[in-house]
Structure formats: structure tokens, C-alpha cells
Amino acid sequence: MADHKDIHGILAYPVTPFTAEGGVDTGGLAALVERLVETGAHGIVPLGSTGESAYLTEPEFDAVIDTTIGVVNGRVPVIIGASDLTTANTVRRARYAQRAGADAVMILPISYWKLSEREIAQHYATVGAAIDIPIMVYNNPATSGIDMLPELLVRMFNEIDNVTMVKESTGDITRMERMSELTDGQLPFYNGSNPMILKAFKAGAKGWCTAAPNLLPQPCLDLYAAAQAGDWTKAEAIYTEFKPFLEFIVAGGLPTTIKGGLELLGQGVGDPRPPLLPLDDTGRDELRRLLAAV
């Protein structure tokens, strides 16, 4: 397997700030990433669903990579979301991320056509052969339309050198348990389903990929610390207080709710890019209440 840093803990997803004119606000992104690092995130993961990566041009995409890696400056691992519809442009993005200094890339298979397991495996193998840094396989059928079963994920882990970890976002805890069983605990997996985080840590998840630290970093860190200490009573208490907030940001769409929350906190980063819309008044009131409650 490819060597990589110890990627663990709270892996924070920054949103992508936009200017009033609609372009990427690299200054706003730099400030946001700096806050995430300073408040204790164990890793930074830009250009996922939360970062509106599907709505960025290639120059914008590259600017987010350069800004993020420059600000982090090696303090914590940076895992770049490099997903795209085509294998060719996924390779381009992954190579750019590697040249810029990324520690790993995260790849979600996206396709208009339903992909077979053979096609999925070839997609990852082609990207893996083009780069030298690790790949986090991202399974999120709710956004990609493609569901990768544990058996396929394990097979790619065993057969593709760069595939070293999995982010599981189906919300089905048995997927994590099955991957662990099939690899005798050798395949590191990370939780991407916010409301499932307590179960995921109990199942052995190595980290939590989440947008929540943009708004509430401390409860995320406290929950991880309690889980690491095996203090499940404390972890349960933190999670119970935190759960309504986690459910809200997922249900309302992460770019929309996180950007709405940052505005409420006086750290506005612009609106999401259409067709996404800003949080409405009802949503803002509810999010204000949830932030105050936690």
C-alpha cells in the first residue's frame, strides 16, 4: 500500500466562498480554512459535496486546491476531492492535487450512466496508476447514484495500490462492520453520514468527514475525544445534544445550511451557487435556535 500520513479524527469540509459577483473568494476561503485548522480539525477536505465542487470551473477548482494547501502549510493532512464525470478529468484533478502538495485525494465515482463494478474498478485503477498519493474511495450513492458494496471496496483495497481508505456515507452501519470483517480491521474507514457518527465510532471508524466544524468545531472534537477514550456515556451525551443540528444541516443541504450558519455567526462567505439557493427565513430561524442550543 502507498505510504500516507496518519489520517484520523475530525476531517473538516470547508465550503467554497463566493464573492458578490459570483466568483471564488480565495481570501474568504483562506480565512475559513485557517479557522478550521486553528480550532483543532485533524485534517482538511476541500472540494467535496459541501465545497460545491460539481459547480466549479477547472480554474476555480485549481484555485481552491492551491489556496487550501497554501494556508494549511503542512500542519494537518489535506485530502482533495478530485471527483469528476470522466476518468480523464478525474486524473487531471488528482495529478494537480498531487503536484500542489496534497496528502491524498478523495474520489467519488460519478456517471450519467450506471457503472458496472468492472467499470468502477477500472476508473479507480486508472487514477491510481496516474498518481503516487493515496486515494480515499468515497461511497455516497445519494449524490453519485452509484453504490459500491463492501465486497467491491475491499477488492479495490486489495488490488489497487493507491486505494488505502474508504469514506462510507450510506448511513448503513453494517457496511463498515462488513469491511472490517473482510479485512480483519486492516481497511481504514471514515464516516461521512453525520447522524450516524456515534455508531460509526463504535464500529471502529478512524475519523469523521464532516462540514459541522465550520459552525460548531468543539462538539465534534469533544465527541471524537470521548470515543477515543472509550467514554461512551460522555460520547452519547454529546451526540444527543448535537444530533438535531447534524440532522438539520444534512436535510437542508450542506452548502446552503453551512453558508447560512456562517452568515449568522458573522463570518459570511456568500451564497451557494445556483441552482442552490440561500437558506430561507424559516431555515435561518431554526438554525439560529439549534446553534444557540448546542
Side-chain angles (χ1 to χ4, degrees):
M1 296 298 175
D3 292 332
H4 61 287
K5 290 185 179 180
D6 182 27
I7 296 171
H8 70 279
I10 303 302
L11 306 179
Y13 286 126
V15 292
T16 300
F18 295 122
T19 64
E21 293 74 33
V24 171
D25 178 3
T26 53
L29 175 62
L32 176 59
V33 170
E34 182 62 31
R35 283 198 301 272
L36 289 170
V37 175
E38 285 186 346
T39 53
H42 300 102
I44 304 295
V45 191
L47 296 168
S49 308
T50 303
E52 299 177 68
S53 60
Y55 303 143
L56 301 181
T57 66
E58 294 307 294
E60 289 174 334
F61 198 93
D62 295 349
V64 171
I65 292 175
D66 292 336
T67 300
T68 303
I69 292 175
V71 170
V72 173
N73 194 28
R75 289 176 288 173
V76 295
V78 176
I79 304 107
I80 298 292
S83 311
D84 193 56
L85 278 165
T86 67
T87 300
N89 203 48
T90 304
V91 166
R92 189 210 73 80
R93 291 177 168 186
R95 281 177 167 166
Y96 191 95
Q98 176 173 307
R99 287 196 302 271
D103 296 284
V105 291
M106 179 181 70
I107 295 175
L108 175 79
I110 310 168
S111 182
Y112 178 87
W113 301 102
K114 181 177 175 59
L115 300 180
S116 67
E117 290 196 348
R118 182 172 67 96
E119 290 166 330
I120 293 167
Q122 185 60 56
H123 178 68
Y124 281 100
T126 301
V127 178
I131 60 175
D132 300 316
I133 57 176
I135 296 171
M136 175 185 283
V137 178
Y138 179 15
N139 188 38
N140 190 355
T143 56
S144 70
I146 297 171
D147 188 6
M148 295 178 284
L149 296 177
E151 288 75 12
L152 172 61
L153 295 168
V154 168
R155 187 162 77 245
M156 292 194 297
F157 172 68
N158 288 330
E159 296 177 358
I160 303 171
D161 285 347
N162 302 63
V163 170
T164 64
M165 48 193 159
V166 171
K167 177 191 169 190
E168 174 56 58
S169 298
T170 59
D172 179 358
I173 195 65
T174 64
R175 303 290 189 99
M176 293 182 178
E177 294 167 345
R178 180 63 173 157
M179 284 189 289
S180 185
E181 174 190 338
L182 289 171
T183 63
D184 292 324
Q186 295 304 300
L187 171 55
F189 55 87
Y190 301 78
N191 177 61
S193 174
N194 281 310
M196 194 179 71
I197 183 55
L198 189 64
K199 289 182 179 178
F201 278 145
K202 287 182 177 179
K206 196 172 180 185
W208 178 14
C209 302
T210 177
N214 288 278
L215 304 180
L216 293 172
Q218 199 58 51
C220 300
L221 296 167
D222 291 345
L223 179 55
Y224 176 66
Q228 286 294 102
D231 188 345
W232 296 112
T233 301
K234 183 176 181 180
E236 181 85 43
I238 296 167
Y239 173 73
T240 300
E241 182 179 58
F242 203 23
K243 185 181 178 185
F245 165 80
L246 296 175
E247 291 175 337
F248 177 86
I249 62 173
V250 171
L254 292 171
T256 294
T257 54
I258 297 300
K259 287 187 170 183
L262 287 168
E263 185 179 352
L264 290 174
L265 295 175
Q267 301 167 2
V269 292
D271 293 335
R273 183 167 278 179
L276 299 180
L277 293 174
L279 203 57
D280 61 22
D281 290 342
T282 301
R284 284 167 58 88
D285 290 343
E286 178 64 8
L287 182 52
R288 185 182 289 108
R289 184 189 68 79
L290 290 168
L291 288 171
V294 176

